[in-house]
Each structure stands twice: as C-alpha cells, then as structure tokens.
C-alpha cells in the first residue's frame, strides 16, 4: 500500500534491530556469593579436677580401758570351747564391751561374738579371729599384724589407721568397713567382700589376692594405693588435678 507523504512512524513499537550476521553475543553469568562458613561449636568444658586429699594423720594410741570382767578367764573358757568343738568351756560373748587398748596378742577368739565391741588401739597381733563376729566393732588404730581373720564377719567395722600387715582376710566380709589409712602390707585378701568398703588413703599396694572386681566395689580416692595392674577407675569428677605447668 503506498504511503503518503507526511506519515509518521512510531519506532517505539518496532523490534530491536537484529545483530549483524556472524556476531557472537556474550552472556555474563553472575554467580551468587558463597555462603558464610558455619562456626564450629566450642569444645565442651572439662569437669574441674579434684586435687588429691592430704593424708590423714595417725591418731595417738589410747590408754587401756579398765575391764569389768575377767579377760583371762573368758579367753581360757573360749579356748576350751574351740578345742572341744563346743562340748567344754564357753563361747566368748563380749558384745558391746569396752576393750580399748587391751592386749589380745595371740588370743584364740575363733567364732567369738565381738559385735559392737570397742577395741580401739587394741594389740591383736597374731590373734585368732577367724569366723569371729565383729560387725560394727570399733578397731580404729588396732594392731592386727599377722592376725587370722579368715571368713570373719567385719561388716561396718571401723579399721581406720589399723595395722593389718600380713593379716589373713581370706573370705572376710568387709562390706561397709572403714579402712581409711589402714596398712595392709602383705595382707591376704583372696575372696574378701569389699562392697562399699572405704579405702581412702589406704595402702593396698602390696596386698595379695585383690582383683579389679573387688576394687570397683569399694569407695576410694586418689590417695588409695593399689597393687600393680589394678586401677582406681575414679569418676571423672574425682580424678586428681593435673600439675600446673
């Protein structure tokens, strides 16, 4: 159709001119910025270590108590009772007696009744106490060197600071007993029951017959000394503090 002169064209509606043939178009791709790194969580705060407790001082030896009974007569009657298998003599029943500092060295008290007896600082070296009932007895600071305590009933007995060198504790029931600061050098502890036995500051380094299972049932602290090959296995909060650099 012929266009008359003076006709105006609206170039805004016209498509953009096509690029010349053979021209390459470059398209710039803008990559998004990398994500910010996630900070690592802070390391857990270690539990504060507990410093080793100072060793307990040894108490002084008490004065011997004045006995209210004939000790030699009781010991003689009990010896006859043991030797005759109960047909002669009489069993020693000394429950709740105050025998503080009493000399019982070498005494034969097999299967005797010494429950709740006070034997603080008593001299019991080489005494025969096998099978004796010593539950809740107070034997703190007693000398039980080479005493025979096999199969003795020692539940909740107080043996703090006692000397038990070479003592025979085979099969003894020491459940709940207090052995703090006791010396058990060479003590025979094969099969002893140590459930909740308190061994704070106790030297068991040369005791014989101990197993890890026995130690795991005790109440112990960093000052408890064990035979080679056995571990304290303390809870983390009770581990000894590391030395300062």
């Amino acid at each position: 159709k012929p266009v008359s002169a003076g006709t105006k064209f609206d170039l805004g509606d016209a498509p953009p001119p096509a690029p010349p043939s053979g021209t390459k178009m470059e398209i710039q791709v803008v990559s998004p910025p990398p994500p910010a790194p996630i900070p690592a969580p802070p390391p857990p705060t270690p539990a504060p270590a507990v410093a080793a407790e100072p060793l307990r001082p040894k108490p002084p030896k008490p004065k011997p108590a004045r006995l209210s009974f004939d000790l030699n007569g009781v010991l003689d009657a009990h010896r006859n009772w043991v030797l005759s298998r109960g047909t002669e003599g009489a069993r020693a029943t000394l429950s709740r007696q105050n025998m503080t500092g009493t000399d019982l060295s070498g005494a034969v008290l097999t299967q005797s009744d010494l429950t709740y007896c006070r034997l603080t600082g008593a001299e019991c070296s080489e005494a025969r106490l096998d099978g004796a009932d010593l539950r809740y007895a107070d034997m703190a600071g007693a000398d039980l060197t080479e005493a025979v305590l096999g199969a003795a009933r020692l539940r909740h007995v107080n043996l703090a600071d006692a000397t038990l060198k070479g003592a025979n504790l085979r099969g003894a029931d020491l459940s709940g007993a207090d052995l703090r600061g006791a010396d058990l050098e060479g003590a025979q502890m094969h099969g002893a029951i140590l459930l909740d036995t308190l061994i704070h500051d106790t030297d068991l380094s040369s005791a014989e017959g101990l197993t890890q299972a026995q130690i795991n049932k005790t109440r112990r602290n960093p000052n408890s000394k064990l035979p080679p090959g056995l571990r304290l296995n303390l809870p983390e909060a009770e581990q000894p503090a590391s030395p300062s650099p």
Side-chain angles (χ1 to χ4, degrees), residues 34-54:
I38 300 175
T45 304
V50 178
E53 301 174 9

Side-chain angles (χ1 to χ4, degrees), residues 107-226:
V108 177
L109 286 166
T110 301
Q111 297 182 351
S112 59
D113 180 4
L114 295 166
T115 52
Y116 296 94
C117 189
R118 188 168 185 179
L119 289 159
T120 309
E123 297 291 337
C124 302
S125 58
E126 300 183 2
R128 290 288 306 272
L129 292 160
D130 41 318
D133 192 348
L134 286 150
R135 288 174 296 169
Y136 295 95
D138 187 355
M139 304 185 77
D143 184 359
L144 290 151
T145 302
E146 297 186 0
V148 180
L149 291 152
R153 302 172 72 181
L154 297 165
R155 295 175 68 92
H156 304 286
V157 68
N158 182 7
L159 285 165
D161 303 306
T163 301
L164 291 149
K165 290 184 178 180
N168 182 350
L169 290 159
R170 291 173 178 262
D173 186 356
L174 286 154
S175 300
D178 187 349
L179 288 172
R180 288 177 298 170
D183 184 357
L184 289 116
E185 179 183 349
Q188 303 169 39
M189 306 193 71
H190 307 72
I193 301 173
L194 301 178
L195 180 63
D196 287 331
T197 304
L198 188 60
I199 59 170
H200 287 194
D201 308 330
T202 305
D203 188 357
L204 291 159
S205 58
S206 60
E208 301 175 5
L210 282 174
T211 65
Q212 190 64 54
Q214 288 172 299
I215 296 300
N216 291 345
K217 295 177 181 178
T218 64
R219 290 183 289 161
R220 49 210 179 274
N221 72 345
N223 290 333
S224 305
K225 298 180 181 179
L226 302 181

